[in-house]
């Protein structure tokens, strides 16, 4: 359980909401339009089961923030999952958390211009993300990170071909928002970017490289598994359509 807690803590630190509020045993996140991960409420302590009163008050609080009530259910939170199901909250977007030792993934990391890190967000990176549906609100999530962080940009056929955001929390480095341009897909660029990310992680003295991927993104799941990453935890959302 300790390693899972560390991983979820790393996700929170490297993909932070605009603000948080605790209501009983529920942690409310204000996402400010940054997506489900930073807008979903969770049990304040991993594995606990908030009361019905806490769940009801949390739903009201999320509506007060202009957000639809959305709860995240993580590995081992079966009681919370059952309580939300009984309240009519259906499952949304199951997500897998994959990891690999950073030093292992850093082997054969690309050199030169295949993939490189940059400390500030480049206009071309913002453009690539915008074309894939990642807009200013999610870029603002990246800007809120206070720990070690960097941006990754990749090239293919002498063109900008991909981008990602990397951030580190203690011994865990997280990869977020990895996007590859359509013209560069199925060329091994995703693995090259992940190996470069692992190289940066090692430089930060991180021991683990981790990434989140929705289960319906089968191409990404296959790519990460081919890299040698294994599933170590999972979560899904519950909300009312």
């Amino acid at each position: 359980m300790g390693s899972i807690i560390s991983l979820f803590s790393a996700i929170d630190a490297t993909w932070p909401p605009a603000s948080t509020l605790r209501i009983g045993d529920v942690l409310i996140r204000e996402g400010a339009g940054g997506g489900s991960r930073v807008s979903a409420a969770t049990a304040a302590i991993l594995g606990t089961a908030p009361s019905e009163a806490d769940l009801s008050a949390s739903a009201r609080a999320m509506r007060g923030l202009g957000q639809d009530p959305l709860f995240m259910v993580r590995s081992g939170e079966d009681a919370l999952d059952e309580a939300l199901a009984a309240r009519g909250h259906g499952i949304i977007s199951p997500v897998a958390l994959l990891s690999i030792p950073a030093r292992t993934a850093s082997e054969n990391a690309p050199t030169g211009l295949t993939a490189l890190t940059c400390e500030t967000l480049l206009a071309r990176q913002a453009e690539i993300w915008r074309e894939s549906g990642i807009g200013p609100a999610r870029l603002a999530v990246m800007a809120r990170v206070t720990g070690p962080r960097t941006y990754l940009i990749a090239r293919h056929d002498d063109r900008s071909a991909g981008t990602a955001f990397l951030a580190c929390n203690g011994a865990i480095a997280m990869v977020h928002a990895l996007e590859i341009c359509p013209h560069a897909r199925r060329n091994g660029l995703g693995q090259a970017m992940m190996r470069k990310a692992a190289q940066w992680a090692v430089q930060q003295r991180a021991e683990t490289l981790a990434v989140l991927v929705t289960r319906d993104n089968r191409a990404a799941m296959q790519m990460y598994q081919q890299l040698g990453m294994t599933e170590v935890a999972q979560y899904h959302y519950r909300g009312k359509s």
Side-chain angles (χ1 to χ4, degrees), residues 6-14 147-148 167-174 200 206:
S6 296
L7 284 163
F8 280 111
S9 295
I11 298 169
D12 290 339
T14 61
C168 194
N169 181 63
I172 300 171
M174 294 292 308
W200 177 84

Side-chain angles (χ1 to χ4, degrees), residues 1-178:
M1 177 64 77
S3 61
I4 293 178
I5 292 174
S6 296
L7 284 163
F8 280 111
S9 295
I11 298 169
D12 290 339
T14 61
W15 202 250
S19 65
T20 59
L21 169 67
R22 182 164 176 170
I23 297 179
D25 288 328
V26 179
L27 186 66
I28 307 298
R29 293 174 174 82
E30 181 181 10
S36 298
R37 185 64 186 77
V38 291
S39 302
T42 60
I45 300 174
L46 182 64
T48 60
S51 68
E52 282 291 319
D54 287 348
L55 294 177
S56 295
S58 299
R60 290 193 297 271
M62 283 184 272
R63 293 190 187 96
L65 292 172
Q67 301 175 178
D68 291 332
L70 184 68
F71 295 86
M72 181 189 304
V73 182
R74 298 162 294 189
S75 298
E77 297 186 318
D78 296 341
L80 174 59
D81 201 35
E82 293 173 3
L84 291 170
R87 293 170 64 89
H89 292 265
I91 292 178
I92 304 170
S93 301
V95 176
L97 174 55
L98 310 180
S99 75
I100 188 173
R103 193 166 295 279
T104 298
S106 70
E107 297 174 357
N108 301 316
T111 58
L113 294 179
T114 302
L116 67 156
T117 56
C118 47
E119 297 308 309
T120 58
L121 176 65
L122 303 178
R124 179 55 183 146
Q125 291 173 298
E127 182 180 357
I128 293 172
W129 272 318
R130 183 172 62 252
E131 290 169 353
S132 67
I134 296 175
R138 288 186 67 185
L139 298 185
V141 178
M142 303 175 196
R144 288 196 291 266
V145 175
T146 58
R149 62 176 187 170
T150 192
Y151 299 91
L152 184 67
I153 189 164
R155 297 177 66 84
H156 179 72
D157 288 342
D158 203 31
R159 298 168 60 188
S160 298
T163 187
F165 177 70
L166 318 176
C168 194
N169 181 63
I172 300 171
M174 294 292 308
V175 179
H176 295 284
L178 189 151

Side-chain angles (χ1 to χ4, degrees), residues 178-199:
L178 189 151
E179 294 290 340
I180 301 173
C181 298
H183 72 84
R185 292 172 184 167
R186 292 178 292 278
N187 284 297
L189 191 61
Q191 284 201 24
M193 292 175 69
M194 290 297 292
R195 292 192 185 281
K196 186 66 176 181
Q199 189 178 63

